[in-house]
């Protein structure tokens, strides 16, 4: 079993730059923090993926969550070559807290699948997949301090000061 850390992100600043149909265009300064969910993942010999959640913040997670969406989209685009995975996530990041818990879970799993060569995918396809799951999922592909704009453009900081953040 592979154990991964999926770090929370915090928006240090959020600027509304316009309006889309039912969402706002935003620009956000994002920093990753030491709070993380723990993900256990391994390949299984089954007909479908098994995704489960445990921990204090696992109670109200719906079937239509970011991790299931990730697997559905990878299946649809035939990236997984019929490989199935068992995923168990210990939720330490509160749901709907703005800390990106679910989005970072999906990004962490996608990173793992790419790194371990379960899937071969280029940057353009990574961006397409992450957009289908959630607007901030792309941040977790390379979890570093950044500015994210509503068109999914990311500007990374070369050097950032260390902040002590109390939640």
């Amino acid at each position: 079993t592979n154990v991964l850390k999926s770090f929370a992100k915090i928006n240090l600043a959020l600027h509304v730059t316009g309006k889309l149909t039912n969402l706002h265009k935003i620009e956000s300064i994002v920093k990753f923090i030491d709070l993380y969910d723990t993900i256990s993942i391994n390949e299984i010999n089954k007909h479908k993926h098994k995704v489960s959640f445990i921990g204090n913040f696992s109670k109200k997670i719906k079937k239509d969550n970011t991790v299931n969406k990730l697997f559905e989209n990878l299946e649809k685009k035939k990236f997984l070559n019929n490989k199935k995975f068992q995923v168990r996530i210990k939720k330490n990041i509160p749901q709907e807290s703005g800390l990106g818990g679910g989005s970072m879970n999906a990004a962490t799993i996608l990173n793992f699948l790419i790194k371990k060569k379960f899937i071969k995918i280029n940057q353009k396809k990574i961006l397409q997949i992450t957009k289908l799951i959630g607007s901030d999922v792309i941040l977790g592909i390379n979890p570093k301090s950044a500015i994210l704009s509503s068109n999914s453009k990311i500007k990374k900081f070369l050097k950032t000061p260390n902040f002590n953040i109390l939640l």
Side-chain angles (χ1 to χ4, degrees), residues 27 66 106 114 117 131:
E27 202 169 64
T66 56
I114 294 167
K117 298 183 176 24
K131 273 186 176 177

Coordinates of all heavy atoms in Angstrom, one line a residue, residues 27 66 106 114 117 131:
E27 N -9.0 35.8 -8.7 CA -7.6 35.7 -8.7 C -7.3 35.5 -7.2 O -7.8 36.2 -6.4 CB -6.9 37.0 -9.2 CG -5.5 36.8 -9.7 CD -5.1 38.0 -10.4 OE1 -4.9 39.1 -9.8 OE2 -4.8 37.9 -11.7
T66 N -14.7 14.5 -5.5 CA -13.6 14.8 -6.4 C -12.8 13.5 -6.8 O -12.4 13.4 -7.9 CB -12.7 15.9 -5.9 OG1 -12.1 15.4 -4.6 CG2 -13.3 17.2 -5.7
A106 N -7.8 14.7 -5.0 CA -7.8 14.3 -6.5 C -6.5 14.6 -7.1 O -6.0 13.7 -7.8 CB -8.9 15.0 -7.2
I114 N 0.5 9.3 -12.2 CA 1.5 9.7 -13.3 C 2.9 9.3 -12.9 O 3.6 8.7 -13.7 CB 1.4 11.3 -13.5 CG1 0.0 11.7 -14.1 CG2 2.5 11.8 -14.4 CD1 -0.3 13.2 -14.0
K117 N 3.6 5.8 -13.2 CA 3.4 5.4 -14.6 C 2.2 4.5 -14.8 O 2.2 3.6 -15.7 CB 4.7 4.7 -15.1 CG 5.9 5.7 -15.2 CD 7.1 5.1 -15.8 CE 8.3 6.0 -15.9 NZ 8.5 7.1 -15.2
K131 N -9.7 20.4 -14.8 CA -10.8 21.4 -15.0 C -12.2 20.7 -14.8 O -13.1 21.2 -14.3 CB -10.7 22.0 -16.3 CG -9.9 23.3 -16.4 CD -10.0 23.9 -17.7 CE -9.2 25.2 -17.8 NZ -9.2 25.9 -19.1

